C-alpha cells in the first residue's frame, strides 16, 4: 500500500512538472525515457536468454 501511495505521489510530481514545460521539451524527454526503457527491455531479454 505504501508503494502505491509513493508511486501516485511521484506520478503527480512528474505530471505537474510536465505541465509547465513546453510541449517539444516534454515530448523529447518522453522519447528519451521511452528509448531508455526499450534498451533496458532488450538487454534484460538478451541476458535472460543467455542464462537459460
Amino acid at each position: 500500500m505504501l508503494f502505491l501511495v509513493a508511486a501516485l505521489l511521484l506520478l503527480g510530481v512528474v505530471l505537474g512538472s510536465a505541465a509547465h514545460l513546453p510541449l517539444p521539451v516534454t515530448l523529447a524527454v518522453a522519447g528519451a525515457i521511452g528509448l531508455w526503457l526499450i534498451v533496458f527491455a532488450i538487454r534484460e531479454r538478451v541476458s535472460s536468454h543467455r542464462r537459460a
Side-chain angles (χ1 to χ4, degrees):
M1 184 67 179
L2 184 60
F3 176 75
L4 181 60
V5 171
L8 288 173
L9 180 66
L10 183 62
L11 180 65
V13 168
V14 170
L15 287 177
S17 300
H20 296 287
L21 292 174
L23 184 60
V25 174
T26 304
L27 293 176
V29 171
I33 292 170
L35 181 65
W36 177 70
L37 289 173
I38 290 170
V39 169
F40 178 77
I42 292 171
R43 287 180 58 200
E44 286 295 313
R45 181 174 293 262
V46 168
S47 69
S48 70
H49 281 282
R50 286 185 183 166
R51 281 184 250 160

